[in-house]
Amino acid sequence: MELSVKTLAGKAAGKIELDDAIFGIDEIRGDILQRTVRWQLARRQAGTHKAKSRSEVNRTTKKSIKQKGSGGARHGSRNAPIFVGGGAAHGPRVRSHAHDLPKKIRKMALAHALSSKVKDSSILVIDKAEMAAGKTKDLVLAFKGLGIENALIISGAEVNENFARAARNIPNIDVLPVAGLNVYDILRRRTLVITKEAAEGIKARFDGVEAAEAE
């Protein structure tokens, strides 16, 4: 697959050949994408939610009423969940929400996410994501010329400091190094913008996965 390459100024900068196995999948598997996004979001959850049980509530443990003669039910301390101020029954506990997802599924999902952007004509290749000065105004004008409003921008191995500084004040724009490329961020933005270096890094990333699987 061949795509045109542009500069930040909107000028033509040649063409680039992309691997069809990564960017040219025809039938996009929505179930695989859903599983991977769910896996990513589950890993991000802090899991620090917690409610106090009856053994953790700081209330008196004195028997509240006499055992007999009140005409009501028999009760011990007021820590029980049925009383106001008592502990919570089966409340949330501190835990990890993370779960396993096979590497093959994660690799497949990334390829399907990238291919979905190509299929929707929502991918743009630029020669490099660099700026001489970190001026947000200049980058906004460049994005306007390229038609970028809501995008994930994948730079090379490292993000140019001036480019990152200029982009961080622009709403709906995310900038990541190629190592940070992930399914959730690809899908949550309308346009995927990759540099030539990022395209090479993506290919190397998939080749590395295949080599590890062969071993």
Side-chain angles (χ1 to χ4, degrees):
M1 171 186 305
E2 194 175 68
L3 293 179
S4 299
V5 181
K6 293 185 178 181
T7 65
L8 275 177
K11 297 180 180 179
K15 294 183 180 295
I16 188 172
E17 190 72 27
L18 299 179
D19 191 345
D20 287 338
I22 303 173
F23 293 91
I25 300 173
D26 292 327
E27 296 183 10
I28 307 300
R29 291 279 303 274
D31 59 321
I32 297 297
L33 297 177
Q34 187 272 342
R35 284 180 64 185
T36 306
V37 168
R38 181 173 172 270
W39 171 77
Q40 280 189 245
L41 296 183
R43 284 165 54 89
R44 293 186 184 187
Q45 285 186 261
T48 53
H49 47 2
K50 184 180 183 300
K52 289 185 177 181
S53 65
R54 65 181 298 171
S55 65
E56 298 168 319
V57 174
N58 188 19
R59 299 193 72 187
T60 179
T61 57
K62 181 181 178 181
K63 189 171 176 61
S64 57
I65 58 175
K66 294 191 299 180
Q67 179 77 356
K68 296 180 181 292
S70 68
R74 297 168 289 182
H75 289 293
S77 70
R78 289 275 172 172
N79 292 348
I82 62 173
F83 293 117
V84 174
H90 311 295
R93 313 298 292 176
V94 176
R95 67 186 181 90
S96 171
H97 292 270
H99 58 270
D100 293 332
L101 188 68
K103 287 184 179 180
K104 287 184 178 180
I105 299 297
R106 283 142 52 186
K107 173 191 171 185
M108 186 188 304
L110 184 57
H112 279 250
L114 293 169
S115 295
S116 71
K117 291 301 180 183
V118 175
K119 192 172 183 179
D120 295 339
S121 300
S122 299
I123 189 170
L124 178 64
V125 184
I126 58 177
D127 60 341
K128 54 186 177 180
E130 297 178 3
M131 295 187 70
K135 298 291 185 180
T136 300
K137 181 180 179 181
D138 295 341
L139 190 57
V140 167
L141 290 175
F143 284 168
K144 187 175 181 180
L146 292 170
I148 298 173
E149 296 179 353
N150 185 311
L152 170 66
I153 301 169
I154 303 300
S155 183
E158 296 182 0
V159 178
N160 178 259
E161 186 177 348
N162 288 334
F163 188 91
R165 185 182 296 116
R168 67 187 177 192
N169 291 325
I170 305 176
N172 301 319
I173 296 294
D174 296 325
V175 182
L176 293 173
V178 67
L181 182 67
N182 64 87
V183 174
Y184 175 69
D185 283 323
I186 292 173
L187 298 179
R188 72 190 289 261
R189 293 302 178 201
R190 188 181 309 150
T191 306
L192 175 64
V193 181
I194 61 174
T195 63
K196 292 172 68 175
E197 184 182 351
E200 295 172 359
I202 293 170
K203 180 66 167 61
R205 178 170 168 177
F206 274 83
D207 289 344
V209 170
E210 291 173 356
E213 289 176 353
E215 294 175 359

